Amino acid sequence: MSYAEKIDEHHRMLKKCKEISAFNIGAGRAYYCAFISIKKYLLDKRFDYQAFLQGINKSHERPFSHGTIKVALFKCLLDNKNTVKNIAQLHVLDNLYHKRRIADYEEKNVSEAEFLASLNEMEIVLNILEAAQ
């Protein structure tokens, strides 16, 4: 299954999560939809992740790790002469990741408001990628 197909599958699942109030699952899927979309963008741009990791002294990390993908996206956007009007928009990926961690690893539940915020944050990431060259 291609990354584009996986992204589409996540979108379909998110609609279902909203319908059945599956906010924990939905928060996780929103994060992974954004994550896979970023990964697809980096691969489409032939971003050299190994060189990037060496450049930030993290050659021990695996490519496309949760801890490095936001910085990799920022670098790739700049390398491809893209600008983000409000660079703070990329920080929504941290919010998405945080809610995914709550949903997957804590007894606390993701609320409907947090799930809806995740959907909005995911859209911000997808809009940044869509606007990029």
Side-chain angles (χ1 to χ4, degrees):
M1 178 181 278
S2 72
Y3 287 122
E5 291 169 319
K6 288 182 180 196
I7 293 163
D8 181 59
E9 186 174 69
H10 277 82
H11 280 285
R12 291 192 321 269
M13 190 63 186
L14 284 164
K15 287 179 187 173
K16 189 55 104 175
C17 287
K18 191 172 184 179
E19 288 173 19
I20 64 171
S21 299
F23 305 133
N24 290 298
I25 300 300
R29 293 308 90 202
Y31 170 75
Y32 278 110
C33 186
F35 182 88
I36 292 169
S37 296
I38 293 168
K39 184 174 182 177
K40 180 183 181 309
Y41 174 79
L42 294 171
L43 290 169
D44 288 349
K45 293 297 180 184
R46 302 190 192 306
F47 184 74
D48 187 344
Y49 218 102
Q50 280 306 134
F52 161 72
L53 290 174
Q54 288 175 342
I56 62 169
N57 295 319
K58 292 194 176 194
S59 56
H60 62 282
E61 291 218 24
R62 70 183 189 284
F64 308 103
S65 70
H66 298 289
T68 61
I69 200 161
K70 181 177 77 170
V71 177
L73 172 60
F74 179 72
K75 179 168 180 11
C76 188
L77 287 168
L78 291 177
D79 289 352
N80 286 283
K81 301 188 180 15
N82 290 289
T83 57
V84 178
K85 290 180 184 172
N86 180 359
I87 198 63
Q89 289 179 315
L90 288 178
H91 293 303
V92 299
L93 195 58
D94 297 330
N95 299 340
L96 283 164
Y97 181 73
H98 175 72
K99 285 181 281 232
R100 190 216 38 112
R101 299 267 314 161
I102 290 170
D104 290 348
Y105 300 111
E106 295 184 20
E107 288 186 13
K108 177 184 172 193
N109 287 317
V110 172
S111 69
E112 180 177 11
E114 290 168 320
F115 167 68
L116 294 174
S118 290
L119 292 178
N120 288 333
E121 292 159 350
M122 177 194 72
E123 286 300 322
I124 289 169
V125 172
L126 299 180
N127 288 338
I128 289 169
L129 296 173
E130 186 177 309
Q133 300 176 6

